[in-house]
Amino acid sequence: DVKVTQSSRYLVKRTGEKVFLECVQDMDHENMFWYRQDPGLGLRLIYFSYDVKMKEKGDIPEGYSVSREKKERFSLILESASTNQTSMYLCASTIGARGDTEAFFGQGTRLTVV
Amino acid sequence: GNSVTQMEGPVTLSEEAFLTINCTYTATGYPSLFWYVQYPGEGLQLLLKATKADDKGSNKGFEATYRKETTSFHLEKGSVQVSDSAVYFCALFYNQGGKLIFGQGTELSVKP
């Protein structure tokens, strides 16, 4: 079974903390994505990566950074968490540069910043 | 920029009713188009896809046709079931840039 695994299902952090969200895929996929999901706003792309050490900004990168040191792992970093970053975070991966391939998603991390 | 717009939900239907969820997109070039579904308590999964104009994607009784002239990819099903209750997301992959972007999602509730 193909798998995208996010390190935590639920996380509670304090304002100002540095937060790491980890995502690991076991499919040898080149592309990985981080989204946040909010009611009425759908999935909004934060960052994506098409190769090791490569990263591209999505539509809402402010307040976030990412790291991809290994092909299978893509980390999302909140440098200084704020309450408006309370959300569901979803990681996804796809194979290569082909646009017709299926994206596989993790189960999500529900982050609450207090 | 590239974007996807879906009809607002929630959509509430009786079992065996006909379903249409509208999706329109803005993109230059020729993106691939997708519908993903998120069942309660589960992750997103691919429902169907179409990669070029006039392609029809289909799966589990759902269909959608890639209409370049109207920049649309509407999801249809002839007879919905209670088990179809979920949130449906329209998405596009734009090869130039490698972005996979989603609409805001449409919640469907099917009553027995």
Side-chain angles (χ1 to χ4, degrees), chain A residues 31 33 45 48-50 55-58 97, chain B residues 2 93-101:
Chain A
N31 305 321
F33 305 83
L45 181 62
F48 63 103
S49 168
Y50 52 87
K55 59 185 180 183
E56 296 285 344
K57 292 180 180 179
Chain B
N2 304 316
F93 184 88
Y94 186 56
N95 278 318
Q96 292 176 288
K99 276 187 178 182
L100 175 62
I101 61 174

Side-chain angles (χ1 to χ4, degrees), chain A residues 25-40:
Chain A
Q25 50 96 1
D26 64 0
M27 296 165 282
D28 202 35
H29 282 176
E30 286 80 8
N31 305 321
M32 297 187 74
F33 305 83
W34 274 108
Y35 298 88
R36 60 178 286 175
Q37 182 178 9
D38 300 289

Side-chain angles (χ1 to χ4, degrees), chain B residues 74-107:
Chain B
H74 304 321
L75 182 68
E76 296 182 336
K77 187 175 186 182
S79 177
V80 293
Q81 306 299 313
V82 172
S83 57
D84 293 327
S85 297
V87 181
Y88 292 82
F89 292 91
C90 186
L92 73 81
F93 184 88
Y94 186 56
N95 278 318
Q96 292 176 288
K99 276 187 178 182
L100 175 62
I101 61 174
F102 287 79
Q104 65 269 46
T106 302
E107 183 180 359

